Amino acid sequence: MTDALTIQRYFVKLLMLFICLLGTPVQAKWQQFTQTDTPIPNLKNKPKIDGKFAPGEWRDAKRIEDFVVFRPNIGERSDYPVQAYISYDSEFFYVAAKISQPEQTLTDRVLTQGEYMWHEDYFGLVLDTNFDKSDAYLFHVTPSGVKEDGLVDGTRYIGEWKTLWYAKTSIEAQSWYVEIAIPMQSISFEKDAENWGLQLRHRVASPNTQVYWNLNNPSNYAWHTNQLAPISGLTGLKQGLGIEAKPSLAYKRNQSESDLAPSLDLLYKLTPSLSGMLTLNTDFSGTEVDEVPLNTTRFSQYFTEKRDFFLQDSQIFRFGGMDDNYANGMAFYSRRIGQGKESNLLDINWGTKLTGQIGDTRLGILSVNQDSDTSRAQQTQLSVARLTHQVAPAHQLGAILTHGSPDDSGDRTLIGADYRYQSTLFNDYPLVAHAFYQQAELADKVQPNDADKASYGASLRLLNDAFYLRGRFQYIGKDFNPALGFVNRRDLRYYESVSHYRIRPKSGWLAQHINYYQFTGFYYLRENTEGHRQGQSVFIRPLQVETKGDNFFFLSHNRYQKVLERPFNFTDKLTFTAGEYNYSHNELYFRTANSKPFYVTARLAKGMFYDADFERLSTTLNYRPNRHLYLELSRDMYYYDTDTAADKLFNTQLRVNIAFNTEWSWNNLLQHNTQADSFSVFSRVRYEPSPDAVYLLSLNRGYDLQQGWHQREQVFDETAIKMAYTYRW
């Protein structure tokens, strides 16, 4: 283990030396791909969003044709020219495009709205209505008209955010067309802003090619907010009365009762950039279930939020640079609301939310009244307030406050402050840094004076294609227990360092067959708060390759040191005794091109796990012969063998999605997990005739298999029929 740590330390030092030797910026070399301020004309005649260009329909719009390849070979001209048209009127922001790409070259196999579409061809835009380069909206469409919307929080994509917008497409023999209309009511902006920011993007799946309109920085990812070009001239914008109502009605039946549940979401835009929201008798029936993986750690798992009410403007409540990838110590975890340890799902009676921006200040206030998880009270109130202020172009200060507990266990609060720095190193290499401090309190319970209720940390990311560096430190006190946050490991000092060096061949045989190859190193260290080591890990990937055909693989050597202070009851058959363990395993991962009808993802690992011989074989088979059918079968298999015992864990998932057209879909997910001895079935039929109307029929059942399949016990059963509409004034 010592040799591996020495290698990792030398590797990091060499990479830091490489940064210092980078020299002067090369920004001037790429100025030919950087757009200046682009005026956007106001359309006098409203276009018909049908995916077909009527004669003269876009004649008065701003025409854009100077697109350039960003990846794999920056600066080249695309094989498929793009003619884009940008315009607006008082109610909509419009983007249209003709992509001169023959129909037989399209990768277009997704037909269900909301399905994962990043493996397909698409065209889209990133729109920053404040042009502060801190956050933006993202809208993309496939040739079949499947839409994807989300948020770009500086350098991170938040795909959970959704809004109401319109897009239609059509396909001809030698080209395809897209028309997009984004309602002013669906986005936030400051009135009479001098500039908005815009990026236009076309992606060809096979071979994987990314084409953009604007490039400010070739070292950064082109969809990040600092790559957007300024646009101007957007005046006289209207958001109507700023009122949005979403009534819904659901009929739900379970093992013991049935219920007819009406609910209502109301939204009012107090200003174009500040919205208030009220939800009554909130209903989440029909929400997609979690995929439950095997858990080979001693700590609880984190699951992402899937409920629309909490996803709306969820990025505002993020704190300290933590997200779904860095959840331990999270100040606010919305899945604490509406779910309890004792009662599972809890009714939400009502909730309010205020989100948006006032000048340089962004705020979010959320308060929810729900049924209590205990018998101490019938209802409990849960609240969170988040504030960030842009004190300077690169500097942001923030604060967070949470109050309440889902189990009504006292007057519990959390208060925290954080700082974000976002700029560039040597004017060319994007740099993002965070620092935070937070403390959880239990007001009505006497705690020792030396109670360690704090958590703090800092992180840094150098976001560069060729050289990438990520570092992180986090402290979590023994008594840090945020009632509305997520913590699965306390009494912790955590250190992390991840770096890679990537080469994109420009000539020769490698340039003909490889997009890039890279070397990557990972180092993780965990200590308790007194500085005693609990474990460390070193992962070395000497080879990671992406081919021109979009195949991908890597080799990895992983070394671990784990310290168990008490026995680890891993399975019914395997228990690892307290002590120090040093072990390693080797790993191979590969993924064939996902633009093909049939593609495979596999992971093979062999070595040790604590003192057990260990093997892992994980395979996912994907079959997408056309736009109407998608089959995915995954099998995750772990094998363990010691001198005295042996055991195995399996996790199997079968996904069957059928899309009849862009309006009708039928999605199914079956899961079997031997670790939890569980089997579940989720099936949902969805009809979405327009963006403002949706009808759902869903079936969700879960079974306990501890006594075997034939003696299975049904532990969850819900059948729901739901209809929901959106009205705007």
Side-chain angles (χ1 to χ4, degrees):
M1 191 71 179
T2 303
D3 292 340
L5 292 178
T6 302
I7 292 172
Q8 172 68 6
R9 292 186 181 115
Y10 277 121
F11 173 67
V12 172
K13 290 179 180 178
L14 286 173
L15 288 176
M16 294 304 295
L17 177 62
F18 174 77
I19 297 178
C20 297
L21 295 176
L22 285 173
T24 58
V26 295
Q27 185 72 17
K29 180 180 177 181
W30 306 101
Q31 286 182 353
Q32 58 180 311
F33 307 134
T34 301
Q35 306 296 329
T36 57
D37 188 5
T38 302
I40 304 300
N42 187 327
L43 280 190
K44 305 304 179 185
N45 298 316
K46 191 178 294 292
K48 182 179 181 181
I49 305 301
D50 58 2
K52 300 176 182 179
F53 284 16
E57 187 175 32
W58 299 102
R59 181 181 56 242
D60 297 330
K62 175 65 178 179
R63 181 169 171 168
I64 294 175
E65 296 181 296
D66 43 349
F67 287 79
V68 64
V69 170
F70 178 67
R71 297 284 183 256
N73 299 319
I74 191 167
E76 293 184 352
R77 291 297 165 182
S78 172
D79 293 335
Y80 309 121
V82 178
Q83 296 176 7
Y85 300 86
I86 314 299
S87 59
Y88 78 100
D89 60 25
S90 61
E91 298 178 309
F92 293 92
F93 185 83
Y94 299 106
V95 175
K98 174 187 176 182
I99 298 98
S100 298
Q101 181 179 3
E103 183 177 7
Q104 68 270 17
T105 68
L106 292 176
T107 300
D108 182 31
R109 303 158 302 167
V110 174
L111 207 56
T112 302
Q113 296 294 346
E115 190 173 349
Y116 190 87
M117 46 73 71
W118 296 114
H119 294 162
E120 313 302 299
D121 288 2
Y122 53 75
F123 178 83
L125 66 143
V126 182
L127 185 66
D128 180 358
T129 55
N130 295 315
F131 201 47
D132 56 8
K133 300 186 179 183
S134 64
D135 60 353
Y137 302 98
L138 181 147
F139 303 92
H140 283 62
V141 189
T142 70
S144 288
V146 174
K147 303 185 300 181
E148 170 72 14
D149 52 348
L151 295 174
V152 181
D153 185 15
T155 58
R156 295 184 180 182
Y157 176 59
I158 304 172
E160 296 86 357
W161 179 87
K162 302 298 173 189
T163 192
L164 191 154
W165 58 292
Y166 304 91
K168 291 292 183 180
T169 60
S170 64
I171 302 174
E172 296 181 354
Q174 298 300 318
S175 58
W176 64 282
Y177 299 80
V178 56
E179 294 182 321
I180 297 171
I182 303 168
M184 297 299 174
Q185 285 182 271
S186 296
I187 56 180
S188 298
F189 53 85
E190 292 289 341
K191 278 190 174 181
D192 302 321
E194 182 178 352
N195 287 108
W196 288 13
L198 179 67
Q199 178 69 281
L200 302 176
R201 179 186 188 190
H202 175 222
R203 192 250 184 176
V204 180
S206 183
N208 187 2
T209 308
Q210 300 177 39
V211 183
Y212 286 85
W213 170 48
N214 184 69
L215 296 178
N216 294 330
N217 189 337
S219 302
N220 199 359
Y221 299 96
W223 53 269
H224 287 178
T225 53
N226 64 353
Q227 295 276 34
L228 275 57
I231 61 174
S232 60
L234 288 89
T235 59
L237 308 181
K238 299 178 181 178
Q239 293 187 316
L241 297 177
I243 299 174
E244 178 177 289
K246 294 182 179 179
S248 66
L249 182 65
Y251 171 76
K252 297 181 287 186
R253 181 178 59 82
N254 56 32
Q255 296 166 285
S256 58
E257 61 182 1
S258 60
D259 182 32
L260 190 64
S263 66
L264 177 65
D265 290 346
L266 287 173
L267 183 144
Y268 176 60
K269 282 189 172 293
L270 290 81
T271 71
S273 58
L274 185 66
S275 300
M277 189 173 180
L278 170 69
T279 182
L280 301 172
N281 196 32
T282 313
D283 176 73
F284 300 117
S285 58
T287 300
E288 188 175 355
V289 299
D290 294 313
E291 295 184 21
V292 183
L294 295 171
N295 184 4
T296 60
T297 73
R298 294 166 286 156
F299 311 103
S300 59
Q301 291 175 302
Y302 174 88
F303 295 98
T304 59
E305 181 61 80
K306 296 178 180 293
R307 299 168 296 177
D308 290 341
F309 176 74
F310 295 109
L311 290 175
Q312 180 69 33
D313 292 330
S314 62
Q315 81 287 353
I316 292 178
F317 296 94
R318 295 192 175 190
F319 173 80
M322 285 177 276
D323 57 19
D324 295 339
N325 297 315
Y326 299 93
N328 190 29
M330 184 176 286
F332 174 61
Y333 179 42
S334 60
R335 289 190 61 145
R336 290 280 181 253
I337 301 176
Q339 301 187 59
K341 295 180 180 179
E342 297 184 14
S343 307
N344 196 10
L345 298 180
L346 302 169
D347 288 336
I348 293 180
N349 305 308
W350 58 267
T352 59
K353 183 188 288 187
L354 178 67
T355 57
Q357 189 158 335
I358 303 174
D360 293 328
T361 301
R362 189 189 305 179
L363 62 90
I365 302 173
L366 170 68
S367 186
V368 171
N369 180 275
Q370 69 170 39
D371 288 354
S372 177
D373 195 29
T374 68
S375 59
R376 300 180 186 179
Q378 292 184 346
Q379 298 178 356
T380 185
Q381 196 75 25
L382 310 174
S383 303
V384 57
R386 174 75 166 125
L387 185 75
T388 59
H389 182 70
Q390 200 74 32
V391 295
H395 304 274
Q396 184 184 90
L397 293 176
I400 192 169
L401 171 69
T402 72
H403 183 269
S405 172
D407 59 6
D408 197 39
S409 58
D411 188 13
R412 299 177 65 176
T413 62
L414 174 142
I415 187 168
D418 65 340
Y419 164 77
R420 184 178 81 169
Y421 175 82
Q422 181 170 324
S423 186
T424 55
L425 186 66
F426 305 135
N427 296 319
D428 209 37
Y429 302 96
L431 178 67
V432 180
H434 289 88
F436 69 91
Y437 179 90
Q438 55 184 333
Q439 185 164 309
E441 298 285 353
L442 186 58
D444 60 351
K445 182 179 179 180
V446 177
Q447 292 179 294
N449 293 331
D450 61 350
D452 193 356
K453 301 171 290 185
S455 174
Y456 51 85
S459 63
L460 178 146
R461 289 184 299 148
L462 183 64
L463 302 167
N464 181 34
D465 182 65
F467 170 74
Y468 173 90
L469 177 65
R470 183 176 81 234
R472 186 178 187 86
F473 165 74
Q474 188 170 10
Y475 178 98
I476 301 179
K478 297 178 182 179
D479 305 299
F480 180 69
N481 186 21
L484 296 182
F486 179 84
V487 179
N488 63 1
R489 189 167 182 173
R490 299 177 181 83
D491 190 16
L492 178 68
R493 290 179 181 175
Y494 173 70
Y495 305 83
E496 172 185 298
S497 173
V498 177
S499 50
H500 79 226
Y501 182 62
R502 177 180 295 171
I503 297 175
R504 294 184 179 272
K506 301 299 182 183
S507 61
W509 182 89
L510 286 178
Q512 296 174 7
H513 296 87
I514 293 176
N515 283 337
Y516 70 82
Y517 57 91
Q518 73 181 45
F519 175 86
T520 312
F522 305 78
Y523 176 63
Y524 308 97
L525 171 64
R526 294 174 176 86
E527 301 174 336
N528 65 17
T529 53
E530 296 177 354
H532 299 142
R533 182 169 297 174
Q534 296 182 328
Q536 59 183 336
S537 308
V538 176
F539 302 161
I540 301 295
R541 293 182 187 172
L543 187 62
Q544 180 172 313
V545 176
E546 181 183 272
T547 70
K548 290 291 185 182
D550 205 26
N551 301 298
F552 174 84
F553 75 89
F554 68 75
L555 299 170
S556 183
H557 176 66
N558 305 334
R559 300 184 67 87
Y560 303 86
Q561 179 194 50
K562 298 286 181 69
V563 178
L564 296 179
E565 297 179 350
R566 59 184 63 87
F568 177 21
N569 298 319
F570 183 59
T571 69
D572 293 338
K573 298 179 181 179
L574 288 177
T575 297
F576 302 111
T577 59
E580 180 177 326
Y581 296 82
N582 292 276
Y583 59 93
S584 65
H585 63 250
N586 298 312
E587 184 177 15
L588 168 65
Y589 174 91
F590 69 87
R591 184 203 69 223
T592 62
N594 49 44
S595 58
K596 307 296 183 182
F598 179 79
Y599 55 99
V600 179
T601 300
R603 187 185 298 267
L604 301 93
K606 185 176 178 62
M608 299 293 293
F609 181 78
Y610 292 93
D611 60 355
D613 291 327
F614 164 69
E615 292 185 14
R616 177 186 178 183
L617 174 59
S618 302
T619 307
T620 301
L621 307 177
N622 304 270
Y623 182 56
R624 197 186 289 272
N626 51 51
R627 297 181 300 169
H628 300 283
L629 177 64
Y630 174 59
L631 303 175
E632 178 188 279
L633 176 62
S634 65
R635 176 81 163 173
D636 210 357
M637 299 173 285
Y638 290 76
Y639 299 91
Y640 305 91
D641 191 2
T642 68
D643 294 336
T644 58
D647 207 351
K648 52 185 178 292
L649 299 174
F650 298 149
N651 186 57
T652 308
Q653 295 182 352
L654 174 63
R655 189 181 297 275
V656 181
N657 293 346
I658 299 173
F660 304 99
N661 51 45
T662 55
E663 298 177 354
W664 282 95
S665 62
W666 180 23
N667 292 357
N668 304 272
L669 176 62
L670 289 76
Q671 300 185 83
H672 177 219
N673 189 311
T674 62
Q675 186 180 45
D677 285 323
S678 65
F679 177 78
S680 64
V681 179
F682 177 75
S683 182
R684 183 178 68 186
V685 176
R686 180 185 179 97
Y687 173 51
E688 188 176 340
S690 65
D692 52 7
V694 62
Y695 304 84
L696 301 173
L697 170 61
S698 64
L699 171 69
N700 190 4
R701 290 183 179 174
Y703 300 90
D704 188 325
L705 304 183
Q706 291 190 38
Q707 304 302 319
W709 175 256
H710 296 291
Q711 284 76 41
R712 63 187 179 276
E713 178 185 356
Q714 185 169 297
V715 294
F716 186 82
D717 175 25
E718 181 183 83
T719 302
I721 302 174
K722 183 176 181 178
M723 60 182 102
Y725 303 90
T726 301
Y727 301 96
R728 284 178 164 178
W729 297 274

